[in-house]
Amino acid sequence: MPASADQPTTELPRPRPPRRLGLSGKLLLLTIPLVMIAEVLIYVPAIANFWMNRLNDRLAAANTAALVLDAAPLGMVPDSLARQILKSIQARAVAIKMGQQRRLLASADLPDAIDHDIDVRNMTVWHAITGSFQMMLERGHEVIRIVGPAPGDAQFLEVVTDERPLRLAMFRFSRNLVVVSLVIAVLTAALVYLALHFLFVRPMRRLTASLVGFHENPESSARIIMPSQRGDEIGVAERELSDMQRDLVSMLHQKSRLAALGLAVSKINHDLRNLLASAQLISDQMASVPDPRVQRFAPKLMRSLERAIAFCQSTLSYGRAQEAAPDRRMLPIEPIVAEVRETAGLASDASITWITAIERGLTADADPDQLFRVLLNLVRNAAQALESNPSSDRPTQIRVSGRREGAVAILEVSDTGPGVPQKARDHLFEAFQSSGRPGGSGLGLAIAAELVRSHDGHIQLVEGTIGATFRIVIPDRPVELLSIRNERARA
């Protein structure tokens, strides 16, 4: 049955992804092929070099034998001695070429055919690698002829030998090399794995665990990660994550407070509007009383009640919606400042000196109700700051000044109180952040800043003054020249 629009919907639990290989497993799987690649890169040139060395050893031994055989009188060497010399150098025949003549110095058990010829005089690296592997992959008892440089005036030296002993030596060398390199590679891989595990995998697991725990309870300050003292990218990520979690916790607490505030206001809004409506009816009747004092205060009382009813109607718009767009017009400042003084109860308060320093005829392009709210919030904050510091030797006074600089109206509200605490200045115009006194809601300056911004102006705390001084800057709206010309033309 589909849920209706009025029925609450429960959030389905987020499906967990299938468990896969973690960073440690991936690191291990990455290390294994790298070790194998390193083994291949070590083994291939090593076996080729071993093969070349063995071929050169055979040629060097054959060279020595050729010197002995060539030194014999008339080149006559007994067969028994020739066989012993060939056996000692593991060869079947030794020949040398001088000029156009090839001379067989000694031979024993020569085969009918030679299987392979290997010329080491112009051997390249690639031919050494392919030749070594070709010899290892062969089977049987092949006979090879090795051709190399000869001493003296000879052109080259030839040695006929069996391939099998050389192939067996290459197998033994390969086995020893693989065993030793594997041991070294395993130890190196283990050290690299442990180093990467402690340097990267464990910190990443810590970051992941913090993210998962914070997601489960984002309003708990205990789930905020404690950053380490690392100076690399992981340390930066830990510190940024910690700052982000703290900001989110503070924001969620602020949202919870706003939600609670909106719920409380919604509960009292209905009854409060009825009470204010009854008070408005009584004030209407008071307006007909001929007493001069009543006639003086009745309009102000009616206006205050109208504002209070409008505020209740919007249900504290700061907490649940945006402020209404300002209804701007050029209005005089002095009457608004006088009304603010009377509304704040400072007209008859002799303990606080009120000073007004407004330029004669000063006007501002603003919404009268919103400008009244801005000044009233600042004046009330100043009065409460003075009342909270009764033991000060300074005179208690509130000063409201105003002037115009071109197309900009500037208003300042200052007091001689203790000033704004340093810890409150970083979040001075944020909701629930700037209240430094017991019982304060922290909304006054936030509401004032929002209203001033809606006029394309700004509000700031002036540094270097006695007490606290707030400056409000409200620029005039740009005027279209075409509309002015049309008005003048109609006039």
Side-chain angles (χ1 to χ4, degrees), residues 47-63 89-91 116-121 123-124 127-133 135 143-149 157-163 165-167 169-170:
I47 192 64
N49 184 63
F50 178 82
W51 182 65
M52 285 294 299
N53 289 336
R54 284 305 177 96
L55 295 179
N56 290 325
D57 291 343
R58 294 293 177 88
L59 288 172
N63 188 18
I89 64 174
Q90 297 180 355
H116 300 292
D117 289 332
I118 301 175
D119 192 348
V120 300
R121 290 174 296 177
M123 182 73 67
T124 62
H127 287 93
I129 294 174
T130 56
S132 61
F133 279 95
M135 179 174 292
V143 178
I144 60 174
R145 176 169 54 200
I146 306 172
V147 180
L157 181 68
E158 296 177 325
V159 180
V160 179
T161 182
D162 292 328
E163 188 182 61
L166 182 57
R167 185 166 59 245
M170 294 175 66

Side-chain angles (χ1 to χ4, degrees), residues 419-441:
V420 180
Q422 186 63 37
K423 63 179 182 180
R425 298 192 178 195
D426 296 335
H427 307 279
L428 191 58
F429 299 103
E430 297 180 14
F432 308 125
Q433 299 289 334
S434 60
S435 179
R437 63 182 186 279
S441 64

Side-chain angles (χ1 to χ4, degrees), residues 223-254:
R223 302 298 180 94
I224 298 177
I225 188 174
M226 295 298 296
S228 62
Q229 301 299 322
R230 297 179 57 154
D232 54 6
E233 287 79 0
I234 292 181
V236 174
E238 291 176 346
R239 289 187 290 274
E240 292 297 326
L241 176 61
S242 178
D243 294 341
M244 182 187 67
Q245 289 175 338
R246 293 182 189 279
D247 293 341
L248 285 176
V249 169
S250 176
M251 186 182 300
L252 290 174
H253 288 171
Q254 179 179 344

Side-chain angles (χ1 to χ4, degrees), residues 155-470:
Q155 294 182 358
F156 58 83
L157 181 68
E158 296 177 325
V159 180
V160 179
T161 182
D162 292 328
E163 188 182 61
R164 179 178 173 81
L166 182 57
R167 185 166 59 245
L168 293 178
M170 294 175 66
F171 283 145
R172 289 192 298 269
F173 174 79
S174 299
R175 180 189 60 198
N176 296 334
L177 178 62
V178 169
V179 170
V180 173
S181 59
L182 275 178
V183 172
I184 296 175
V186 168
L187 292 177
T188 304
L191 293 176
V192 171
Y193 173 80
L194 292 176
L196 294 177
H197 179 78
F198 284 100
L199 288 176
F200 300 105
V201 176
R202 287 186 62 183
M204 290 302 299
R205 285 181 177 175
R206 184 167 174 262
L207 287 173
T208 304
S210 176
L211 289 172
V212 173
F214 188 78
H215 178 265
E216 294 175 354
N217 188 7
E219 295 186 4
S220 175
S221 300
R223 302 298 180 94
I224 298 177
I225 188 174
M226 295 298 296
S228 62
Q229 301 299 322
R230 297 179 57 154
D232 54 6
E233 287 79 0
I234 292 181
V236 174
E238 291 176 346
R239 289 187 290 274
E240 292 297 326
L241 176 61
S242 178
D243 294 341
M244 182 187 67
Q245 289 175 338
R246 293 182 189 279
D247 293 341
L248 285 176
V249 169
S250 176
M251 186 182 300
L252 290 174
H253 288 171
Q254 179 179 344
K255 296 295 184 183
S256 300
R257 188 171 178 180
L258 282 173
L261 179 62
L263 179 60
V265 172
S266 298
K267 290 180 179 179
I268 67 174
N269 180 53
H270 181 270
D271 294 335
L272 183 58
R273 280 188 302 169
N274 292 336
L275 294 175
L276 291 174
S278 300
Q280 189 178 28
L281 292 176
I282 295 174
S283 65
D284 291 339
Q285 296 176 3
M286 290 177 60
S288 61
V289 177
D291 189 338
R293 296 184 62 186
V294 174
Q295 292 294 326
R296 177 185 174 188
F297 291 109
K300 297 178 181 179
L301 177 61
M302 293 175 62
R303 183 167 178 79
S304 297
L305 290 173
E306 290 175 356
R307 284 175 177 156
I309 293 174
F311 292 164
C312 289
Q313 188 68 33
S314 63
T315 316
L316 193 58
S317 60
Y318 181 84
R320 58 176 293 187
Q322 296 292 330
E323 290 283 352
D327 181 15
R328 302 180 65 173
R329 55 183 177 271
M330 296 301 296
L331 52 92
I333 299 299
E334 290 181 339
I336 295 179
V337 173
E339 188 177 1
V340 167
R341 180 185 180 187
E342 293 182 358
T343 305
L346 298 177
S348 59
D349 190 351
S351 62
I352 299 178
T353 304
W354 178 275
I355 300 175
T356 303
I358 304 294
E359 285 183 357
R360 185 181 300 274
L362 177 63
T363 59
D365 187 9
D367 185 303
D369 290 334
Q370 293 188 4
L371 183 58
F372 173 84
R373 291 171 60 188
V374 172
L375 294 176
L376 183 60
N377 279 321
L378 296 179
V379 168
R380 280 180 174 170
N381 284 349
Q384 292 169 357
L386 292 173
E387 292 171 357
S388 65
N389 192 30
S391 60
S392 176
D393 296 335
R394 297 184 230 163
T396 56
Q397 70 177 29
I398 297 176
R399 178 186 175 91
V400 179
S401 61
R403 65 185 185 275
R404 174 167 284 277
E405 294 182 0
V408 176
I410 301 176
L411 303 176
E412 290 185 354
V413 178
S414 59
D415 61 73
T416 57
V420 180
Q422 186 63 37
K423 63 179 182 180
R425 298 192 178 195
D426 296 335
H427 307 279
L428 191 58
F429 299 103
E430 297 180 14
F432 308 125
Q433 299 289 334
S434 60
S435 179
R437 63 182 186 279
S441 64
L443 280 173
L445 291 178
I447 294 175
E450 182 181 359
L451 294 176
V452 172
R453 284 195 297 267
S454 68
H455 288 74
D456 297 326
H458 66 272
I459 182 173
Q460 64 182 8
L461 176 67
V462 181
E463 301 290 344
T465 61
I466 299 175
T469 299
F470 288 92

